[in-house]
Amino acid sequence: MTLAVGVIGTGMIGSDHIAKLSGTIAGARVSAVFDVDAERAAAVAVGAGAKACGSAQEVISSTDTDAVLIASPGPLHPEQVLACLAAAKPVLCEKPLATTVEDCAAVLDAEAALGRRLVQVGFMRRYDEGFRQVKAAVDAGSIGEPLLVHSVHRNPTVPASFTADMSMTDSVVHEFDTYRWLLGQEVVAVTVLAARRSPRAAEHMRDPQLVLMEMADGVLVEVESFVNCQYGYDVRCEVVGSEGTVNLDNPAFTALAARGARGKGVPPDWQARFGAAYQTELQQWVDGLAAGHDAAGPSAWDGYAATAVGLACVESIRAGCRVEVSLPERPALYA
Ligand code: NAD
Ligand code: ISE
């Protein structure tokens, strides 16, 4: 069976996913696309051999769409995900699931009513070989009891449309999911501090910032968020345990030694750093659906939890204090 995937949003990551789904992913093809930028959608559709549709609903309702991939801006995700659930179609929704907890809850309610998991959220770091090895070391007890995590998440630049809140709800949202998954714990409180603003950051931004997450079992996770670091895309971490540490560096096959210095390259952007993770994420999603399984990757509950932590961070910034994260009981569907 070849899975026919309809794609909503043909911007940076939408077109990246479309290229993979119509090229390197086995067992899938892109059948329909929609973007409010009709010219862009038409060009992408031609490249993928897909139909350019006049609306997101047309993509979802098409009889030639088995599953949907949403890569539109975050605030549009809940309405589009709910439309997929109304049509009982599996959906891979890019992060964030939604930008309010109410919208995330509406998705949980809709899935509960269907009684099955159709939603997967695009937290692709769970498919990254480096993060998987860090988790394997922690799970195997190789560093003893995990106590602390130091991490950095730096983007070279962000577009002018990137808001101050998005550094939490769109960028560090990856860390909220990563460390919930890696440590197997919910985040119970957050504190965010802004450093002196980089002269490279836009006036409306607080950049860089430090986020401190308190996990339910007392592990502390510290994240440096810097979305205008200029020099490259730099995502690293070190988990400190009672018997040792495990460190995740940027993948690099070579180190250049010349003119008295030895250095490794830094990936230019998220496409270069996480290209293999997106590939694995998409392939496993397609394989699972083709085998008749429901969604098995990061769930709507994971999307809810990450958004709740992000909004607590936004509140911490505004109020200038530590903010507790309150989550409802995890619904049985996501046990
Ligand atoms: P982008 O701005 O490049 O693309 C968004 C696209 O959505 C644009 O082409 C825009 O015209 C289109 N759009 C706007 N309104 C629309 C609507 N009503 N219906 C359909 N399309 C509409 O942004 P991007 O960087 O590609 O990000 C898209 C989403 O993917 C965001 O949620 C972002 O957080 C997420 N993302 C995830 C990763 C990751 O690492 N997992 C990386 C990048 C982006
Ligand atoms: C972007 O949307 C992504 O998801 C990238 O992985 C992240 O590094 C970046 O900060 C986000 O804006």
Side-chain angles (χ1 to χ4, degrees):
M1 172 204 177
T2 299
L3 191 80
V5 182
V7 180
I8 301 170
T10 58
M12 281 190 291
I13 197 147
S15 47
D16 203 81
H17 286 327
I18 287 168
K20 287 187 171 61
L21 285 166
S22 49
T24 51
I25 302 292
R29 69 185 169 88
V30 178
S31 56
V33 301
F34 169 69
D35 195 297
V36 283
D37 182 340
E39 222 172 282
R40 179 170 193 142
V44 171
V46 169
K51 179 185 174 199
C53 294
S55 69
Q57 189 59 54
E58 190 185 334
V59 171
I60 296 165
S61 310
S62 168
T63 51
D64 195 25
T65 297
D66 300 320
V68 180
L69 191 154
I70 296 176
S72 57
L76 304 174
H77 294 174
E79 184 188 340
Q80 294 170 346
V81 169
L82 289 171
C84 293
L85 293 179
K89 296 209 174 164
V91 52
L92 173 51
C93 176
E94 262 309 334
K95 38 64 53 175
L97 176 61
T99 50
T100 69
V101 283
E102 292 76 14
D103 282 343
C104 290
V107 173
L108 296 187
D109 290 346
E111 268 201 321
L114 284 169
R116 40 188 297 231
R117 275 200 49 201
L118 291 182
V119 179
Q120 177 166 322
V121 181
F123 288 126
M124 79 301 175
R125 287 190 189 179
R126 296 186 184 207
Y127 300 90
D128 175 68
E129 188 49 35
F131 275 108
R132 291 180 81 85
Q133 287 182 20
V134 172
K135 180 168 170 55
V138 171
D139 288 350
S142 310
I143 61 164
E145 298 280 318
L147 306 171
L148 276 176
V149 180
H150 304 289
S151 67
V152 297
H153 182 167
R154 299 185 188 139
N155 288 239
T157 56
V158 280
S161 57
F162 200 87
T163 65
D165 289 356
M166 281 172 76
S167 57
M168 298 296 124
T169 59
D170 192 79
S171 186
V172 189
V173 73
H174 282 293
E175 273 75 15
F176 305 146
D177 182 69
T178 300
Y179 296 108
R180 289 180 61 252
W181 164 75
L182 205 152
L183 298 165
Q185 297 284 322
E186 293 297 355
V187 181
V188 294
V190 292
T191 310
V192 185
L193 287 176
R196 177 180 177 204
R197 192 174 66 229
S198 161
R200 298 287 196 166
E203 283 280 308
H204 68 276
M205 295 295 296
R206 303 167 294 261
D207 194 45
Q209 298 175 100
L210 283 180
V211 181
L212 183 66
M213 292 188 254
E214 297 170 44
M215 309 304 289
D217 63 352
V219 174
L220 290 182
V221 179
E222 165 232 328
V223 187
E224 176 204 303
S225 163
F226 192 6
V227 298
N228 289 283
C229 80
Q230 308 297 312
Y231 68 86
Y233 184 79
D234 202 1
V235 169
R236 288 177 280 121
C237 75
E238 181 180 28
V239 185
V240 180
S242 55
E243 312 297 328
T245 80
V246 54
N247 198 77
L248 174 73
D249 204 346
N250 284 301
F253 295 114
T254 53
L256 178 69
R259 291 178 290 279
R262 186 169 194 278
K264 291 201 298 182
V266 178
D269 49 36
W270 43 264
Q271 289 98 326
R273 170 62 184 88
F274 287 113
Y278 297 121
Q279 171 79 17
T280 307
E281 170 191 50
L282 290 172
Q283 190 64 66
Q284 290 190 9
W285 181 62
V286 166
D287 290 348
L289 296 180
H293 302 313
D294 283 342
S299 68
W301 170 254
D302 296 314
Y304 181 114
T307 291
V309 179
L311 293 173
C313 286
V314 170
E315 197 185 326
S316 170
I317 292 164
R318 295 212 173 115
C321 62
R322 173 180 181 273
V323 172
E324 293 190 357
V325 179
S326 69
L327 289 178
E329 204 174 318
R330 183 192 288 244
L333 188 59
Y334 312 101

